[in-house]
Every structure is written in structure tokens, then in C-alpha cells.
Amino acid sequence: MASRTTTRTLASFSLALIMSAVSVAAMADVMVGGAPMLASKDIIDNAVNSKDHTTLVAAVKAAGLVETLKGPGPFTVFAPTNAAFSALPAGTVETLLKPDNKGTLTTILTYHVVAGKWDAAAISKMIMDGKGMATIKTVSGGTLTAKASGSKVMVTDEKGGTATVTIADVYQSNGVIHVIDKVLLPK
């Protein structure tokens, strides 16, 4: 039993070191979608410059969430890329962007937003404190589950879909963005 505890402790310590190193390195401006993400700008002002997030920006505009995400926050946003939206069943994005579906779109988008500024180090600590997983409450009222997989953080939605954080700690004036490779879906 002692070796299992030692192994878990070493694994937790290793994860903490990795996430701390990622967090310190990421304090500088990060490139996302071919554009620098400036820590002095808010979530929206940075996102509109990312070529990898044009679908997300269009969805945020269609849902009427621009002013909210330009607000003081702080917010943590798990930001799906265009490729993540493209992986949804054909016609899904187009259907969600229709005015009649604004409520559903808003729920899905706010499911990607967490109140507070949760950088990689904070999420890593939550995972360690949760003995390998952390439950995160979203602005929409749903939950996400974060786990470590090697040096990566995986985020699982309420339907069992899992996204990988591909770029962590994109600091904003009103929070932090973690780029993910899948769209998360609430129940």
C-alpha cells in the first residue's frame, strides 16, 4: 500500500510541477489562431483576432453574449476551436445560429464558461485535491469534470464527451481562456 500512496503522491507532485511550469510560461502573451492574445485585452477583443475561433465568435454574437464576456468577470472560458465545431453533426452549427435557437445556443455557450479565473495551476490543484478529478460548475448551471491524462488536462461534459485542453492559460484582462478541441454539451 505504501508504494501506491507514494506513486499517487509522486504523480500528483509531477502534475503540479508540469501545470506550474505551463502556467509560468503562459504568463507572456500567447499566440492563438495566428494572433497574439494580449493579457491587456478582454476575452472578446482577443477572440475576434483568432482565426481558430471564428465560429465561437459568431456563436457568441448570435447568443447576445458579447457584452457579458466583455464585462469585468473574471471568467474562465473553455474555448472550442473551429475544428471542434466542425466535428459536430452536419447542420448543427447552422441550426444553433438561427434566432429561434438562441436559448439553446446560449445554454451551450455558457456551459463553456466558469465564474472566476481558473488557470492551469488552480485546475491542477482542484484535480489533486479531488484525488484525480475536479467537478467544475459552469455559468449555465451544469458541471464539467476535469482530469489529468499525462501532461494534458481533459474536460468531460455531462453527456460523456471529452475535450483536451490544447492551449492552457491564455490570460485576458477579465479572466483566462483554455483552448479545447471539442464542443462540450450539457444534459
Side-chain angles (χ1 to χ4, degrees):
M1 279 306 219
S3 65
R4 252 192 206 161
T5 302
T6 302
T7 302
R8 278 192 215 141
T9 301
L10 287 174
S12 295
F13 181 71
S14 297
L15 177 62
L17 284 176
I18 290 166
M19 297 306 278
S20 293
V22 168
S23 186
V24 169
M27 291 182 123
D29 295 331
V30 176
M31 295 292 286
V32 176
M37 299 290 110
L38 305 175
S40 60
K41 290 187 175 186
D42 64 49
I43 290 166
I44 296 298
D45 288 346
N46 272 319
V48 298
N49 293 318
S50 170
K51 292 177 186 163
D52 290 343
H53 291 91
T54 57
T55 305
L56 178 61
V57 169
V60 166
K61 288 177 180 177
L65 294 172
V66 170
E67 289 307 311
T68 300
L69 292 175
K70 285 183 75 54
F75 304 106
T76 299
V77 177
F78 292 97
T81 60
N82 293 341
F85 281 101
S86 293
L88 292 171
T92 301
V93 173
E94 294 78 12
T95 299
L96 286 171
L97 292 176
K98 291 180 180 176
D100 293 349
N101 295 318
K102 185 177 178 179
T104 302
L105 179 61
T106 300
T107 299
I108 291 170
L109 292 175
T110 57
Y111 188 65
H112 290 78
V113 180
V114 178
K117 186 175 183 179
W118 296 94
D119 63 9
I123 293 171
S124 176
K125 182 175 179 347
M126 288 172 49
I127 292 169
M128 286 187 301
D129 290 349
K131 300 185 185 344
M133 91 169 105
T135 301
I136 302 169
K137 183 93 167 165
T138 70
V139 171
S140 72
T143 58
L144 299 169
T145 303
K147 294 181 184 180
S149 178
S151 63
K152 296 279 186 185
V153 170
M154 313 299 283
V155 181
T156 303
D157 64 29
E158 294 170 332
K159 291 191 172 192
T162 300
T164 301
V165 175
T166 58
I167 303 174
D169 292 345
V170 184
Y171 292 101
Q172 317 290 301
S173 64
N174 61 345
V176 63
I177 290 175
H178 301 292
V179 177
I180 57 174
D181 64 355
K182 299 271 190 289
V183 175
L184 301 166
L185 299 172
K187 285 184 187 176

